[in-house]
Amino acid sequence: MKEIIRRIVSSIVLIIVVSFITFFMLMMIPGDAVEISLGTETTPERVRELRAALGMDAPWYTQYLSWLTHAITGDFGVSFTYGETVTSLLTSRLPVTLSLMVMAIIIAVPLALTIGVFAALKQNKTFDIIARTLMQIGDAMPQFWIALIFLVYIAAQFDVFPISGFTPFTESVYGGFMSLLLPALVLAFGMIATLIRIVRSSMLHSLKQDYMLMTRVSGMNPVVAIIKYPLRDALIAPLTVIGIQIAGLISGVIVVESIFSLPGVGRLLFSAVLKRDLFLILGLVSFIVTSVIIITLITDILYILLNKRMRREES
């Protein structure tokens, strides 16, 4: 319990530190975000008025403390570009991003676990060679390249998949599914390669343990023995990797959503960076960092609990 509390406290401190560094770096970037948002034809008086209205005429550390105080309550400020609160923009774009990530996880995790387990059971045979080839291809090909290949050779060739844009599920469940399928496959491709490697190596290590020899000597059914012992042990390491991969999906979403023109959080952040929308950038970055840290924290806690449970069962 002490270890879990320590990790929770360190995660909270890390979130604050990252938000401070992000805010400080945005303040140090040359150029005035207010002037950029108002355009080249604005007057100095209008710039001063807007800076005062947004509280940007105060020292940077005062601005950060004010922003942090409001951010704790869920108020991340107002976007220069859209004229809406960052929270409302985030909540309107979040369902698309979450749907995309969930679909990618549903595709990647069961497929990678199945391939990894069978590759270990068929070590150095045809299936294992194919699995290792898939791992190398997945690690070598960047997501943006896979996305472009899918657009050119799948979406452009078949009318089933839209080349860009998103159909809300409220309008058409089928249309929404097909809008996200190719982007989800792009995100899943990178996850599958890493997970296959971890599952395969963990499974091979477990299969070489002494207890597998004892199961054969005792006459236990091979399938039951594999499920009861090596498979259970081999899934602990992938659990941690899956948590890291889910956190990594958030960064991959930015690229994929931009290429497929999906109205999600990733494309919103890309647009905010281009337009130097400070409050929108800060709010989205803080949300993404917080999400990554929370996912990592949950993964660490599950790993600790599973390890303790398995040690108790073995003893």
Side-chain angles (χ1 to χ4, degrees), residues 109-128:
V109 174
L111 188 60
L113 293 178
T114 303
I115 294 174
V117 169
F118 278 98
L121 295 175
K122 304 292 184 181
Q123 185 181 13
N124 297 327
K125 295 183 179 180
T126 303
F127 188 89
D128 185 32

Side-chain angles (χ1 to χ4, degrees), residues 11-119:
S11 298
I12 295 173
V13 174
L14 182 59
I15 292 172
I16 296 175
V17 170
V18 171
S19 68
F20 173 79
I21 294 174
T22 305
F23 188 92
F24 180 77
M25 292 180 65
L26 289 174
M27 290 294 104
M28 295 299 105
I29 294 177
D32 193 325
V34 175
E35 291 183 0
I36 295 174
S37 64
L38 291 176
T40 56
E41 298 181 359
T42 187
T43 61
E45 291 77 12
R46 177 56 181 156
V47 172
R48 286 194 296 268
E49 289 176 1
L50 183 56
R51 288 180 64 86
L54 296 174
M56 297 184 66
D57 54 347
W60 67 268
Y61 51 85
T62 304
Q63 295 181 46
Y64 172 73
L65 291 176
S66 175
W67 176 87
L68 181 62
T69 303
H70 288 85
I72 294 174
T73 63
D75 179 11
F76 294 99
V78 178
S79 167
F80 298 158
T81 306
Y82 298 92
E84 302 178 34
T85 62
V86 175
T87 305
S88 64
L89 289 171
L90 179 61
T91 53
S92 65
R93 304 295 185 96
L94 192 57
V96 177
T97 300
L98 289 179
S99 300
L100 177 60
M101 292 177 62
V102 169
M103 188 178 294
I105 294 168
I106 292 175
I107 294 171
V109 174
L111 188 60
L113 293 178
T114 303
I115 294 174
V117 169
F118 278 98

Side-chain angles (χ1 to χ4, degrees), residues 25-303:
M25 292 180 65
L26 289 174
M27 290 294 104
M28 295 299 105
I29 294 177
D32 193 325
V34 175
E35 291 183 0
I36 295 174
S37 64
L38 291 176
T40 56
E41 298 181 359
T42 187
T43 61
E45 291 77 12
R46 177 56 181 156
V47 172
R48 286 194 296 268
E49 289 176 1
L50 183 56
R51 288 180 64 86
L54 296 174
M56 297 184 66
D57 54 347
W60 67 268
Y61 51 85
T62 304
Q63 295 181 46
Y64 172 73
L65 291 176
S66 175
W67 176 87
L68 181 62
T69 303
H70 288 85
I72 294 174
T73 63
D75 179 11
F76 294 99
V78 178
S79 167
F80 298 158
T81 306
Y82 298 92
E84 302 178 34
T85 62
V86 175
T87 305
S88 64
L89 289 171
L90 179 61
T91 53
S92 65
R93 304 295 185 96
L94 192 57
V96 177
T97 300
L98 289 179
S99 300
L100 177 60
M101 292 177 62
V102 169
M103 188 178 294
I105 294 168
I106 292 175
I107 294 171
V109 174
L111 188 60
L113 293 178
T114 303
I115 294 174
V117 169
F118 278 98
L121 295 175
K122 304 292 184 181
Q123 185 181 13
N124 297 327
K125 295 183 179 180
T126 303
F127 188 89
D128 185 32
I129 294 173
I130 295 174
R132 282 183 288 172
T133 303
L134 181 63
M135 288 188 296
Q136 294 175 353
I137 294 174
D139 288 338
M141 297 182 67
Q143 287 181 334
F144 75 88
W145 180 248
I146 300 174
L148 292 175
I149 291 176
F150 278 24
L151 278 177
V152 174
Y153 293 101
I154 298 180
Q157 302 298 326
F158 303 95
D159 295 334
V160 179
F161 301 99
I163 296 179
S164 63
F166 173 72
T167 302
F169 287 101
T170 53
E171 296 181 7
S172 172
V173 176
Y174 175 78
F177 176 80
M178 298 307 294
S179 299
L180 295 178
L181 182 56
L182 286 184
L185 286 172
V186 174
L187 291 175
F189 200 82
M191 287 186 65
I192 290 173
T194 303
L195 286 176
I196 290 175
R197 176 178 291 103
I198 299 299
V199 173
R200 179 181 177 275
S201 60
S202 299
M203 193 72 181
L204 286 174
H205 176 75
S206 299
L207 288 171
K208 296 176 182 178
Q209 299 303 309
D210 294 337
Y211 53 70
M212 288 305 298
L213 177 61
M214 295 301 297
T215 59
R216 289 192 291 269
V217 172
S218 63
M220 182 181 292
N221 186 295
V223 177
V224 176
I226 289 173
I227 295 175
K228 188 174 181 180
Y229 295 109
L231 182 59
R232 185 191 64 174
D233 295 346
L235 292 181
I236 293 182
L239 175 65
T240 305
V241 176
I242 288 172
I244 297 174
Q245 289 280 16
I246 293 174
L249 276 180
I250 299 176
S251 59
V253 160
I254 299 175
V255 177
V256 173
E257 286 184 352
S258 299
I259 293 176
F260 286 92
S261 300
L262 296 176
V265 175
R267 191 181 179 198
L268 182 63
L269 178 59
F270 182 75
S271 175
V273 171
L274 291 179
K275 298 176 181 178
R276 202 168 178 266
D277 195 329
L278 293 183
F279 289 117
L280 185 55
I281 296 173
L282 187 59
L284 294 178
V285 169
S286 299
F287 173 78
I288 292 172
V289 170
T290 303
S291 301
V292 170
I293 292 174
I294 290 175
I295 292 171
T296 306
L297 176 62
I298 293 173
T299 304
D300 290 342
I301 292 174
L302 289 176
Y303 183 80

